[in-house]
Structures are given as structure tokens and as C-alpha cells.
Amino acid sequence: MEQVTAAIVKPLPDHLFRVHGNSAEMRWEAMAGLGYHTPNDRFFVRNHTFTPLIDAATWRLRIHGAGVRCPSEFRYEDLRAMPSRTYDVAIECAGNGRRFYRTQQHDGAPGTQWGLGAIGVARWRGVPLKYLLKQAGVLPDAVDVLATGLDAPFEDHGHVRRPVPIRKAMDDVLVAYEMNGVPLPPDHGFPARLVVPGWVGIASIKWLGDLEVSTTRLYTPWNTVFYPDMTTLPVKSAFELEWNARLPIPGTHILRGRSWSGRGRIVRVEVSFDGGLTWRRAEHHGQRLVRAWLPWHIEWAPQHTGTRLLMARATDETGATQPLTRPRDPYGYNFDAVVQHPIHVVNG
Ligand SMILES: Nc1nc2c(c(=O)[nH]1)N[C@H]1C(S)=C(S)[C@@H](COP(=O)(O)O)O[C@H]1N2
Ligand SMILES: [Mo]
């Protein structure tokens, strides 16, 4: 394994990304008018340290621990030759939207000050984790599957690692080696990563090297100190618009956006142009996939120039909807309140 000096390998042009230390957030205007999936060149990157460059020819995925009968090692070619599945699934950082605790609620939390761009939806292809666990002879008393990344240790906490409960591991978790039809790019976990649908991004361990199947519950800093006991993600919405976008009048604008939830399909999206006094239903277009997002649009013909705060709020099939404020969170996770998106209506 050879290490690089830049934390992120792919180019991070200013019109696509906002850089936060070793991580980079997608600018939502970079999704404007695009199809269902987030292209790899603009998918957000969340690195605890930096992207490692791993040689697939010597790479091995080890499965071991008290919860398996036959500890196994798989090569990259082994994975690629196995039965594969393809999922259209979002990966979102639990801290997505953290900045709005400070800017909207004046009660900020430390950590990366993400806007809403720490999410992307890709077409992931790989081997179901269930299949690999069965190959390794998973035992009925298996409890957790601890995934460890091959990136450099984080501060004094060791390698980035987090257990997935066996129930989820045997359900819909993927060991992915492809992202949107190409091998995983280095920044997104080459040669293989977990994709844990609907769950906090930290569950989807990149640069997978090791899977330990235990017969007791496992604890790491990433399910105790950071992201304690967190699994599914709440409902959120974003406009495919730059912050402080300028909209000329006279004219009718089609405003587009996307809404998502880790818990189920989005069933309703409403938009307010008057600070939340009145709400109008947005139209849906494209697919309505569970554990991904729902694209929507709404027409608006503003009558007056000036600064306005656009608001979008979604509801998922469990009935969960976006509140106007979110109770304080010491870590700044799960900001699901309606975001106030400033725009300027100008004479065109
Ligand atoms: N090995 C490893 N896996 C990791 C991380 C990391 O730093 N190292 N970051 C996690 C976090 S916090 C998130 S939100 C997702 C981000 O995935 P992406 O960078 O492909 O967008 O990866 C997760 N998997
Ligand atoms: Mo994250």
C-alpha cells in the first residue's frame, strides 16, 4: 500500500465541491438537471485521514472470528467472479447539515460544518455480504460483523472500523467493487467497500480489509464515541440550487430538488416561498426508490425582487416528516429540520 500526500485523489474543482479538511462536500447546484445518480466526479468524500492507493493484485479480504466455521480469504478476482447484485442506494454522512445547527438555530456543534452536500446516490455493484459470510460458514450464534478499513489509523483510535449487527449483515449489505458502472474510484474505497443501505455513512466502511465475525457484541470508537448507536438516517431535502442563487423576473422558474430518508420511500414533498406560512406540493419525477432519493420540481413565478428563503419539507412512508427546528445534538448529527435556502429575485 502506497500513501499519497493529498487527502483526496480526484480533482476537487470549486464549482463542484466545497473542501473541508480531508473531506469534500458536493455543491447541490452540481446536481442540477442531472439524472438519478450522482456522477463519481462530484460524489462527496468523507475521509478520516486520507485516501490510500491499494494494489488490487495483492489485496485480500479476510473473514475470520469466532462466528465463522471456516476463516477465508478472498482475492479481488474471486469477488468479481461471484454472483453480483446491483443497488441504487444513497450514502450520507450522519453529520450532513451540521452547519445549520449553528446558522439556523444558533447552537452549533463541533465537527465538519457540512451544508447538505454530504450525500450521494450511486449504482453500487458487488457481492452480497450474506453470500461471503455463508462461504465462510457463518454460525448461528454470530452477533456482529466488524469491518476494518485499510486507510491510516485515525488519531489514537486505530483503523476506522465499525460493527454491523449480523441481522443487517445478512439482510441487504453489499461488498461493493463498482460505482456507477466503473471500478470503485480510490476515494470511494477501491478495491472494495461496504454499502449499508439506509444507515449512517460510517457503516459503509471503505478500503475494506478485514471482516471479523464475533459471537459477542463488539465496540469500537465508531459505535461508542463517534456515531453512538446510530443506524438509520432521518428525512432531508435539498434544492439543486447554489446558495444565494439569482432568479430573474419576470418569468416562471422550475425549481428542482431531491428528498431522501433512510427509513423508507418519500411520499410527499412541499415547498414554501413565504417562510413557512403556506406550502405547495411539489411534483415528483424519476424513480422513487427506497434508501435513495426522490427527485422533484415545482414552478414558481416570483412577483417582487428581493431576498427570499426557500424551504422544502418531505415526508416518508413511515410518516416521518421534517420539523422546522431540530433539538440540539452535541455531535451535530441528524439535522433533519427544514433548511432555509437563500435566493435573490432580481430584475432580469
Ligand atoms: N475506511 C474508512 N471508511 C469510511 C470512512 C473513512 O474515513 N475510512 N469514512 C466513513 C464516513 S464517516 C462516511 S460518511 C462514508 C463516506 O463515503 P464516501 O467518501 O465514499 O462518500 O464513508 C465511511 N467509510
Ligand atoms: Mo460520515
Side-chain angles (χ1 to χ4, degrees), residues 93-99 101 107-114 221 223-230 327-335:
C93 189
N96 197 22
R98 180 180 285 122
R99 169 155 77 91
Y101 280 106
D107 198 2
T112 304
Q113 296 299 302
W114 303 107
N223 65 338
T224 56
V225 182
F226 321 118
Y227 318 97
D229 274 331
M230 297 176 66
R328 172 166 203 282
D329 181 296
Y331 300 93
Y333 295 138
N334 288 331
F335 189 88

PDB file of all heavy atoms in Angstrom, residues 93-99 101 107-114 221 223-230 327-335:
ATOM      1  N   CYS A  93     -23.471  11.096   5.107  1.00  0.00           N
ATOM      2  CA  CYS A  93     -22.797  11.245   6.392  1.00  0.00           C
ATOM      3  C   CYS A  93     -23.815  11.659   7.449  1.00  0.00           C
ATOM      4  O   CYS A  93     -24.677  12.513   7.195  1.00  0.00           O
ATOM      5  CB  CYS A  93     -21.689  12.291   6.287  1.00  0.00           C
ATOM      6  SG  CYS A  93     -20.673  12.308   7.777  1.00  0.00           S
ATOM      7  N   ALA A  94     -23.691  11.068   8.638  1.00  0.00           N
ATOM      8  CA  ALA A  94     -24.605  11.402   9.744  1.00  0.00           C
ATOM      9  C   ALA A  94     -24.539  12.882  10.100  1.00  0.00           C
ATOM     10  O   ALA A  94     -25.488  13.447  10.622  1.00  0.00           O
ATOM     11  CB  ALA A  94     -24.270  10.560  10.964  1.00  0.00           C
ATOM     12  N   GLY A  95     -23.395  13.515   9.788  1.00  0.00           N
ATOM     13  CA  GLY A  95     -23.226  14.932  10.108  1.00  0.00           C
ATOM     14  C   GLY A  95     -23.708  15.856   8.998  1.00  0.00           C
ATOM     15  O   GLY A  95     -23.554  17.081   9.102  1.00  0.00           O
ATOM     16  N   ASN A  96     -24.317  15.283   7.939  1.00  0.00           N
ATOM     17  CA  ASN A  96     -24.802  16.137   6.844  1.00  0.00           C
ATOM     18  C   ASN A  96     -25.778  17.175   7.407  1.00  0.00           C
ATOM     19  O   ASN A  96     -26.691  16.827   8.154  1.00  0.00           O
ATOM     20  CB  ASN A  96     -25.507  15.268   5.784  1.00  0.00           C
ATOM     21  CG  ASN A  96     -25.657  15.990   4.461  1.00  0.00           C
ATOM     22  OD1 ASN A  96     -24.920  16.945   4.172  1.00  0.00           O
ATOM     23  ND2 ASN A  96     -26.600  15.533   3.636  1.00  0.00           N
ATOM     24  N   GLY A  97     -25.574  18.459   7.043  1.00  0.00           N
ATOM     25  CA  GLY A  97     -26.453  19.516   7.552  1.00  0.00           C
ATOM     26  C   GLY A  97     -26.023  20.084   8.897  1.00  0.00           C
ATOM     27  O   GLY A  97     -26.697  20.964   9.438  1.00  0.00           O
ATOM     28  N   ARG A  98     -24.889  19.624   9.427  1.00  0.00           N
ATOM     29  CA  ARG A  98     -24.461  20.081  10.767  1.00  0.00           C
ATOM     30  C   ARG A  98     -24.392  21.607  10.863  1.00  0.00           C
ATOM     31  O   ARG A  98     -24.715  22.197  11.892  1.00  0.00           O
ATOM     32  CB  ARG A  98     -23.104  19.481  11.103  1.00  0.00           C
ATOM     33  CG  ARG A  98     -22.596  19.898  12.470  1.00  0.00           C
ATOM     34  CD  ARG A  98     -21.236  19.294  12.790  1.00  0.00           C
ATOM     35  NE  ARG A  98     -21.317  17.885  13.133  1.00  0.00           N
ATOM     36  CZ  ARG A  98     -20.678  16.897  12.495  1.00  0.00           C
ATOM     37  NH1 ARG A  98     -19.905  17.177  11.455  1.00  0.00           N
ATOM     38  NH2 ARG A  98     -20.800  15.660  12.877  1.00  0.00           N
ATOM     39  N   ARG A  99     -23.960  22.244   9.791  1.00  0.00           N
ATOM     40  CA  ARG A  99     -23.799  23.701   9.788  1.00  0.00           C
ATOM     41  C   ARG A  99     -25.070  24.436  10.200  1.00  0.00           C
ATOM     42  O   ARG A  99     -25.006  25.515  10.789  1.00  0.00           O
ATOM     43  CB  ARG A  99     -23.411  24.105   8.353  1.00  0.00           C
ATOM     44  CG  ARG A  99     -23.438  25.565   8.046  1.00  0.00           C
ATOM     45  CD  ARG A  99     -22.493  25.858   6.890  1.00  0.00           C
ATOM     46  NE  ARG A  99     -23.016  25.492   5.579  1.00  0.00           N
ATOM     47  CZ  ARG A  99     -23.714  26.331   4.799  1.00  0.00           C
ATOM     48  NH1 ARG A  99     -24.014  27.536   5.225  1.00  0.00           N
ATOM     49  NH2 ARG A  99     -24.105  25.947   3.603  1.00  0.00           N
ATOM     50  N   TYR A 101     -27.282  23.705  12.444  1.00  0.00           N
ATOM     51  CA  TYR A 101     -27.476  23.863  13.895  1.00  0.00           C
ATOM     52  C   TYR A 101     -26.984  25.251  14.315  1.00  0.00           C
ATOM     53  O   TYR A 101     -27.568  25.905  15.160  1.00  0.00           O
ATOM     54  CB  TYR A 101     -26.706  22.795  14.674  1.00  0.00           C
ATOM     55  CG  TYR A 101     -27.383  21.449  14.732  1.00  0.00           C
ATOM     56  CD1 TYR A 101     -26.914  20.378  13.983  1.00  0.00           C
ATOM     57  CD2 TYR A 101     -28.497  21.252  15.545  1.00  0.00           C
ATOM     58  CE1 TYR A 101     -27.524  19.134  14.042  1.00  0.00           C
ATOM     59  CE2 TYR A 101     -29.118  20.012  15.622  1.00  0.00           C
ATOM     60  CZ  TYR A 101     -28.631  18.957  14.864  1.00  0.00           C
ATOM     61  OH  TYR A 101     -29.244  17.738  14.921  1.00  0.00           O
ATOM     62  N   ASP A 107     -26.942  27.258  17.725  1.00  0.00           N
ATOM     63  CA  ASP A 107     -26.458  26.331  18.733  1.00  0.00           C
ATOM     64  C   ASP A 107     -25.645  25.264  17.997  1.00  0.00           C
ATOM     65  O   ASP A 107     -26.104  24.137  17.801  1.00  0.00           O
ATOM     66  CB  ASP A 107     -27.664  25.719  19.461  1.00  0.00           C
ATOM     67  CG  ASP A 107     -27.250  25.091  20.784  1.00  0.00           C
ATOM     68  OD1 ASP A 107     -26.055  25.165  21.134  1.00  0.00           O
ATOM     69  OD2 ASP A 107     -28.133  24.527  21.451  1.00  0.00           O
ATOM     70  N   GLY A 108     -24.457  25.655  17.566  1.00  0.00           N
ATOM     71  CA  GLY A 108     -23.657  24.813  16.683  1.00  0.00           C
ATOM     72  C   GLY A 108     -23.026  23.647  17.401  1.00  0.00           C
ATOM     73  O   GLY A 108     -23.020  23.566  18.626  1.00  0.00           O
ATOM     74  N   ALA A 109     -22.500  22.719  16.606  1.00  0.00           N
ATOM     75  CA  ALA A 109     -21.807  21.562  17.153  1.00  0.00           C
ATOM     76  C   ALA A 109     -20.456  21.468  16.445  1.00  0.00           C
ATOM     77  O   ALA A 109     -20.347  21.809  15.265  1.00  0.00           O
ATOM     78  CB  ALA A 109     -22.620  20.297  16.911  1.00  0.00           C
ATOM     79  N   PRO A 110     -19.423  21.005  17.157  1.00  0.00           N
ATOM     80  CA  PRO A 110     -18.109  20.861  16.528  1.00  0.00           C
ATOM     81  C   PRO A 110     -18.131  19.729  15.502  1.00  0.00           C
ATOM     82  O   PRO A 110     -19.008  18.867  15.542  1.00  0.00           O
ATOM     83  CB  PRO A 110     -17.186  20.520  17.697  1.00  0.00           C
ATOM     84  CG  PRO A 110     -18.070  19.948  18.755  1.00  0.00           C
ATOM     85  CD  PRO A 110     -19.422  20.577  18.567  1.00  0.00           C
ATOM     86  N   GLY A 111     -17.161  19.741  14.609  1.00  0.00           N
ATOM     87  CA  GLY A 111     -17.094  18.726  13.549  1.00  0.00           C
ATOM     88  C   GLY A 111     -17.203  19.417  12.210  1.00  0.00           C
ATOM     89  O   GLY A 111     -17.394  20.635  12.131  1.00  0.00           O
ATOM     90  N   THR A 112     -17.078  18.636  11.145  1.00  0.00           N
ATOM     91  CA  THR A 112     -17.138  19.191   9.793  1.00  0.00           C
ATOM     92  C   THR A 112     -18.442  19.958   9.611  1.00  0.00           C
ATOM     93  O   THR A 112     -19.521  19.428   9.859  1.00  0.00           O
ATOM     94  CB  THR A 112     -17.050  18.038   8.770  1.00  0.00           C
ATOM     95  OG1 THR A 112     -15.862  17.307   9.030  1.00  0.00           O
ATOM     96  CG2 THR A 112     -17.018  18.563   7.349  1.00  0.00           C
ATOM     97  N   GLN A 113     -18.329  21.211   9.176  1.00  0.00           N
ATOM     98  CA  GLN A 113     -19.527  22.061   9.039  1.00  0.00           C
ATOM     99  C   GLN A 113     -20.157  21.845   7.659  1.00  0.00           C
ATOM    100  O   GLN A 113     -20.215  22.749   6.825  1.00  0.00           O
ATOM    101  CB  GLN A 113     -19.167  23.530   9.292  1.00  0.00           C
ATOM    102  CG  GLN A 113     -18.681  23.771  10.727  1.00  0.00           C
ATOM    103  CD  GLN A 113     -19.737  23.428  11.781  1.00  0.00           C
ATOM    104  OE1 GLN A 113     -20.837  23.981  11.761  1.00  0.00           O
ATOM    105  NE2 GLN A 113     -19.414  22.503  12.694  1.00  0.00           N
ATOM    106  N   TRP A 114     -20.661  20.631   7.439  1.00  0.00           N
ATOM    107  CA  TRP A 114     -21.325  20.295   6.180  1.00  0.00           C
ATOM    108  C   TRP A 114     -22.572  21.152   5.993  1.00  0.00           C
ATOM    109  O   TRP A 114     -23.332  21.340   6.931  1.00  0.00           O
ATOM    110  CB  TRP A 114     -21.816  18.850   6.175  1.00  0.00           C
ATOM    111  CG  TRP A 114     -20.851  17.750   6.409  1.00  0.00           C
ATOM    112  CD1 TRP A 114     -20.755  16.993   7.536  1.00  0.00           C
ATOM    113  CD2 TRP A 114     -19.899  17.208   5.479  1.00  0.00           C
ATOM    114  NE1 TRP A 114     -19.789  16.024   7.363  1.00  0.00           N
ATOM    115  CE2 TRP A 114     -19.245  16.133   6.122  1.00  0.00           C
ATOM    116  CE3 TRP A 114     -19.534  17.527   4.172  1.00  0.00           C
ATOM    117  CZ2 TRP A 114     -18.256  15.371   5.509  1.00  0.00           C
ATOM    118  CZ3 TRP A 114     -18.542  16.773   3.561  1.00  0.00           C
ATOM    119  CH2 TRP A 114     -17.911  15.711   4.224  1.00  0.00           C
ATOM    120  N   PRO A 221     -14.425   2.833  18.708  1.00  0.00           N
ATOM    121  CA  PRO A 221     -14.752   4.260  18.878  1.00  0.00           C
ATOM    122  C   PRO A 221     -15.882   4.704  17.941  1.00  0.00           C
ATOM    123  O   PRO A 221     -16.598   5.648  18.242  1.00  0.00           O
ATOM    124  CB  PRO A 221     -13.439   4.956  18.515  1.00  0.00           C
ATOM    125  CG  PRO A 221     -12.384   3.938  18.811  1.00  0.00           C
ATOM    126  CD  PRO A 221     -12.995   2.610  18.470  1.00  0.00           C
ATOM    127  N   ASN A 223     -18.682   3.183  17.132  1.00  0.00           N
ATOM    128  CA  ASN A 223     -20.082   2.984  17.543  1.00  0.00           C
ATOM    129  C   ASN A 223     -20.292   3.356  19.013  1.00  0.00           C
ATOM    130  O   ASN A 223     -21.341   3.083  19.584  1.00  0.00           O
ATOM    131  CB  ASN A 223     -20.594   1.558  17.245  1.00  0.00           C
ATOM    132  CG  ASN A 223     -19.885   0.470  18.041  1.00  0.00           C
ATOM    133  OD1 ASN A 223     -18.775   0.651  18.517  1.00  0.00           O
ATOM    134  ND2 ASN A 223     -20.533  -0.680  18.176  1.00  0.00           N
ATOM    135  N   THR A 224     -19.263   3.983  19.625  1.00  0.00           N
ATOM    136  CA  THR A 224     -19.407   4.429  21.021  1.00  0.00           C
ATOM    137  C   THR A 224     -19.156   5.929  21.116  1.00  0.00           C
ATOM    138  O   THR A 224     -20.076   6.706  21.341  1.00  0.00           O
ATOM    139  CB  THR A 224     -18.438   3.650  21.933  1.00  0.00           C
ATOM    140  OG1 THR A 224     -17.113   3.810  21.449  1.00  0.00           O
ATOM    141  CG2 THR A 224     -18.813   2.176  21.993  1.00  0.00           C
ATOM    142  N   VAL A 225     -17.893   6.345  20.868  1.00  0.00           N
ATOM    143  CA  VAL A 225     -17.546   7.766  20.991  1.00  0.00           C
ATOM    144  C   VAL A 225     -18.138   8.568  19.834  1.00  0.00           C
ATOM    145  O   VAL A 225     -18.759   9.611  20.021  1.00  0.00           O
ATOM    146  CB  VAL A 225     -16.007   7.949  20.989  1.00  0.00           C
ATOM    147  CG1 VAL A 225     -15.651   9.417  21.168  1.00  0.00           C
ATOM    148  CG2 VAL A 225     -15.359   7.077  22.053  1.00  0.00           C
ATOM    149  N   PHE A 226     -17.932   8.072  18.593  1.00  0.00           N
ATOM    150  CA  PHE A 226     -18.472   8.745  17.403  1.00  0.00           C
ATOM    151  C   PHE A 226     -19.685   7.944  16.935  1.00  0.00           C
ATOM    152  O   PHE A 226     -19.662   6.724  16.956  1.00  0.00           O
ATOM    153  CB  PHE A 226     -17.452   8.789  16.257  1.00  0.00           C
ATOM    154  CG  PHE A 226     -16.039   9.057  16.697  1.00  0.00           C
ATOM    155  CD1 PHE A 226     -15.041   8.115  16.484  1.00  0.00           C
ATOM    156  CD2 PHE A 226     -15.702  10.245  17.313  1.00  0.00           C
ATOM    157  CE1 PHE A 226     -13.731   8.353  16.877  1.00  0.00           C
ATOM    158  CE2 PHE A 226     -14.399  10.498  17.712  1.00  0.00           C
ATOM    159  CZ  PHE A 226     -13.411   9.543  17.497  1.00  0.00           C
ATOM    160  N   TYR A 227     -20.699   8.622  16.466  1.00  0.00           N
ATOM    161  CA  TYR A 227     -21.908   7.981  15.932  1.00  0.00           C
ATOM    162  C   TYR A 227     -22.446   6.904  16.894  1.00  0.00           C
ATOM    163  O   TYR A 227     -22.713   5.785  16.474  1.00  0.00           O
ATOM    164  CB  TYR A 227     -21.635   7.320  14.570  1.00  0.00           C
ATOM    165  CG  TYR A 227     -20.775   8.113  13.621  1.00  0.00           C
ATOM    166  CD1 TYR A 227     -19.410   7.857  13.511  1.00  0.00           C
ATOM    167  CD2 TYR A 227     -21.329   9.110  12.825  1.00  0.00           C
ATOM    168  CE1 TYR A 227     -18.611   8.580  12.636  1.00  0.00           C
ATOM    169  CE2 TYR A 227     -20.537   9.828  11.952  1.00  0.00           C
ATOM    170  CZ  TYR A 227     -19.181   9.554  11.859  1.00  0.00           C
ATOM    171  OH  TYR A 227     -18.395  10.255  10.994  1.00  0.00           O
ATOM    172  N   PRO A 228     -22.601   7.215  18.197  1.00  0.00           N
ATOM    173  CA  PRO A 228     -23.020   6.175  19.146  1.00  0.00           C
ATOM    174  C   PRO A 228     -24.374   5.599  18.768  1.00  0.00           C
ATOM    175  O   PRO A 228     -25.326   6.357  18.564  1.00  0.00           O
ATOM    176  CB  PRO A 228     -23.086   6.926  20.481  1.00  0.00           C
ATOM    177  CG  PRO A 228     -23.179   8.378  20.115  1.00  0.00           C
ATOM    178  CD  PRO A 228     -22.459   8.534  18.821  1.00  0.00           C
ATOM    179  N   ASP A 229     -24.425   4.277  18.668  1.00  0.00           N
ATOM    180  CA  ASP A 229     -25.690   3.569  18.466  1.00  0.00           C
ATOM    181  C   ASP A 229     -26.545   4.095  17.333  1.00  0.00           C
ATOM    182  O   ASP A 229     -27.766   4.012  17.389  1.00  0.00           O
ATOM    183  CB  ASP A 229     -26.532   3.651  19.746  1.00  0.00           C
ATOM    184  CG  ASP A 229     -26.150   2.533  20.688  1.00  0.00           C
ATOM    185  OD1 ASP A 229     -25.717   1.487  20.186  1.00  0.00           O
ATOM    186  OD2 ASP A 229     -26.270   2.742  21.920  1.00  0.00           O
ATOM    187  N   MET A 230     -25.938   4.673  16.302  1.00  0.00           N
ATOM    188  CA  MET A 230     -26.772   5.249  15.242  1.00  0.00           C
ATOM    189  C   MET A 230     -26.916   4.253  14.099  1.00  0.00           C
ATOM    190  O   MET A 230     -25.968   3.577  13.739  1.00  0.00           O
ATOM    191  CB  MET A 230     -26.131   6.520  14.710  1.00  0.00           C
ATOM    192  CG  MET A 230     -26.034   7.587  15.779  1.00  0.00           C
ATOM    193  SD  MET A 230     -25.177   9.003  15.157  1.00  0.00           S
ATOM    194  CE  MET A 230     -26.320   9.559  13.922  1.00  0.00           C
ATOM    195  N   PRO A 327     -34.086  19.470  17.797  1.00  0.00           N
ATOM    196  CA  PRO A 327     -33.451  19.629  19.102  1.00  0.00           C
ATOM    197  C   PRO A 327     -31.926  19.544  18.983  1.00  0.00           C
ATOM    198  O   PRO A 327     -31.407  18.834  18.122  1.00  0.00           O
ATOM    199  CB  PRO A 327     -33.988  18.452  19.912  1.00  0.00           C
ATOM    200  CG  PRO A 327     -35.226  18.009  19.213  1.00  0.00           C
ATOM    201  CD  PRO A 327     -35.041  18.361  17.757  1.00  0.00           C
ATOM    202  N   ARG A 328     -31.251  20.263  19.863  1.00  0.00           N
ATOM    203  CA  ARG A 328     -29.793  20.299  19.881  1.00  0.00           C
ATOM    204  C   ARG A 328     -29.216  18.878  19.915  1.00  0.00           C
ATOM    205  O   ARG A 328     -29.783  17.982  20.537  1.00  0.00           O
ATOM    206  CB  ARG A 328     -29.391  21.065  21.133  1.00  0.00           C
ATOM    207  CG  ARG A 328     -27.949  21.035  21.406  1.00  0.00           C
ATOM    208  CD  ARG A 328     -27.545  22.065  22.440  1.00  0.00           C
ATOM    209  NE  ARG A 328     -26.138  22.334  22.226  1.00  0.00           N
ATOM    210  CZ  ARG A 328     -25.178  21.523  22.646  1.00  0.00           C
ATOM    211  NH1 ARG A 328     -25.456  20.430  23.321  1.00  0.00           N
ATOM    212  NH2 ARG A 328     -23.917  21.800  22.363  1.00  0.00           N
ATOM    213  N   ASP A 329     -28.096  18.692  19.221  1.00  0.00           N
ATOM    214  CA  ASP A 329     -27.400  17.411  19.272  1.00  0.00           C
ATOM    215  C   ASP A 329     -25.932  17.736  19.552  1.00  0.00           C
ATOM    216  O   ASP A 329     -25.331  18.505  18.808  1.00  0.00           O
ATOM    217  CB  ASP A 329     -27.545  16.691  17.922  1.00  0.00           C
ATOM    218  CG  ASP A 329     -26.859  15.333  17.904  1.00  0.00           C
ATOM    219  OD1 ASP A 329     -25.618  15.288  18.044  1.00  0.00           O
ATOM    220  OD2 ASP A 329     -27.550  14.322  17.741  1.00  0.00           O
ATOM    221  N   PRO A 330     -25.362  17.173  20.606  1.00  0.00           N
ATOM    222  CA  PRO A 330     -23.990  17.552  20.972  1.00  0.00           C
ATOM    223  C   PRO A 330     -22.983  17.285  19.851  1.00  0.00           C
ATOM    224  O   PRO A 330     -21.965  17.967  19.752  1.00  0.00           O
ATOM    225  CB  PRO A 330     -23.688  16.697  22.200  1.00  0.00           C
ATOM    226  CG  PRO A 330     -24.757  15.654  22.255  1.00  0.00           C
ATOM    227  CD  PRO A 330     -25.937  16.196  21.529  1.00  0.00           C
ATOM    228  N   TYR A 331     -23.273  16.293  18.990  1.00  0.00           N
ATOM    229  CA  TYR A 331     -22.359  15.965  17.892  1.00  0.00           C
ATOM    230  C   TYR A 331     -22.770  16.629  16.573  1.00  0.00           C
ATOM    231  O   TYR A 331     -22.049  16.535  15.598  1.00  0.00           O
ATOM    232  CB  TYR A 331     -22.339  14.455  17.641  1.00  0.00           C
ATOM    233  CG  TYR A 331     -21.902  13.640  18.823  1.00  0.00           C
ATOM    234  CD1 TYR A 331     -22.839  13.117  19.711  1.00  0.00           C
ATOM    235  CD2 TYR A 331     -20.553  13.362  19.031  1.00  0.00           C
ATOM    236  CE1 TYR A 331     -22.446  12.345  20.793  1.00  0.00           C
ATOM    237  CE2 TYR A 331     -20.158  12.595  20.114  1.00  0.00           C
ATOM    238  CZ  TYR A 331     -21.099  12.084  20.987  1.00  0.00           C
ATOM    239  OH  TYR A 331     -20.704  11.331  22.039  1.00  0.00           O
ATOM    240  N   GLY A 332     -23.955  17.204  16.551  1.00  0.00           N
ATOM    241  CA  GLY A 332     -24.416  17.810  15.306  1.00  0.00           C
ATOM    242  C   GLY A 332     -24.863  16.791  14.270  1.00  0.00           C
ATOM    243  O   GLY A 332     -24.841  17.049  13.074  1.00  0.00           O
ATOM    244  N   TYR A 333     -25.304  15.619  14.711  1.00  0.00           N
ATOM    245  CA  TYR A 333     -25.816  14.615  13.775  1.00  0.00           C
ATOM    246  C   TYR A 333     -27.305  14.854  13.495  1.00  0.00           C
ATOM    247  O   TYR A 333     -27.983  15.574  14.230  1.00  0.00           O
ATOM    248  CB  TYR A 333     -25.679  13.202  14.368  1.00  0.00           C
ATOM    249  CG  TYR A 333     -24.258  12.753  14.589  1.00  0.00           C
ATOM    250  CD1 TYR A 333     -23.906  12.068  15.747  1.00  0.00           C
ATOM    251  CD2 TYR A 333     -23.273  12.994  13.645  1.00  0.00           C
ATOM    252  CE1 TYR A 333     -22.602  11.629  15.963  1.00  0.00           C
ATOM    253  CE2 TYR A 333     -21.967  12.567  13.857  1.00  0.00           C
ATOM    254  CZ  TYR A 333     -21.638  11.887  15.009  1.00  0.00           C
ATOM    255  OH  TYR A 333     -20.358  11.465  15.211  1.00  0.00           O
ATOM    256  N   ASN A 334     -27.790  14.171  12.438  1.00  0.00           N
ATOM    257  CA  ASN A 334     -29.236  14.066  12.181  1.00  0.00           C
ATOM    258  C   ASN A 334     -29.964  15.398  12.062  1.00  0.00           C
ATOM    259  O   ASN A 334     -31.072  15.529  12.567  1.00  0.00           O
ATOM    260  CB  ASN A 334     -29.910  13.245  13.289  1.00  0.00           C
ATOM    261  CG  ASN A 334     -29.561  11.777  13.174  1.00  0.00           C
ATOM    262  OD1 ASN A 334     -29.309  11.281  12.074  1.00  0.00           O
ATOM    263  ND2 ASN A 334     -29.544  11.078  14.290  1.00  0.00           N
ATOM    264  N   PHE A 335     -29.377  16.385  11.408  1.00  0.00           N
ATOM    265  CA  PHE A 335     -30.107  17.643  11.211  1.00  0.00           C
ATOM    266  C   PHE A 335     -31.173  17.427  10.144  1.00  0.00           C
ATOM    267  O   PHE A 335     -30.895  17.478   8.947  1.00  0.00           O
ATOM    268  CB  PHE A 335     -29.184  18.798  10.807  1.00  0.00           C
ATOM    269  CG  PHE A 335     -29.915  20.112  10.822  1.00  0.00           C
ATOM    270  CD1 PHE A 335     -29.988  20.859  11.988  1.00  0.00           C
ATOM    271  CD2 PHE A 335     -30.597  20.565   9.695  1.00  0.00           C
ATOM    272  CE1 PHE A 335     -30.726  22.045  12.024  1.00  0.00           C
ATOM    273  CE2 PHE A 335     -31.326  21.751   9.730  1.00  0.00           C
ATOM    274  CZ  PHE A 335     -31.387  22.485  10.894  1.00  0.00           C
TER     275      PHE A 335
END
